[in-house]
Amino acid sequence: SVRDIDLSLQLGAGHPMGPLHLSDYIGLDTVHSITKGWMDKYPDEPAFVMPNCLQEKVNNGEFGRKTGKGFYHWKGDRRGDPV
């Protein structure tokens, strides 16, 4: 689950916030753009692939904090429950 992924990286790797929380915070459209740039520049690198869940959220206009919904629900800068 979204919560499990974020919590495992916080507790297991000492990250201040999990990767899905961070992606929502900076904007899923921004994460998408960065990933797309890496894919274009390094087309043979298997590490750079667009996750289907990210593509779907961007296609649906769900950019995280800036739109109020991404992997989590947001009210301004306050993160709510996972979607």
Side-chain angles (χ1 to χ4, degrees), residues 3 6 10 21 24 72-81:
R3 189 169 282 162
D6 279 346
Q10 286 179 274
H21 180 180
D24 259 17
Y72 291 91
H73 293 283
W74 291 82
K75 287 188 180 183
D77 286 341
R78 292 188 60 136
R79 188 193 80 188
D81 291 330

Side-chain angles (χ1 to χ4, degrees), residues 25-42:
Y25 190 80
I26 63 173
L28 299 180
D29 56 330
T30 301
V31 174
H32 183 277
S33 177
I34 292 167
T35 304
K36 178 85 169 79
W38 288 338
M39 290 170 57
D40 291 346
K41 187 166 184 173
Y42 305 104

Side-chain angles (χ1 to χ4, degrees), residues 2-19:
V2 168
R3 189 169 282 162
D4 290 337
I5 291 168
D6 279 346
L7 187 60
S8 66
L9 279 242
Q10 286 179 274
L11 298 178
H15 292 194
M17 69 176 67

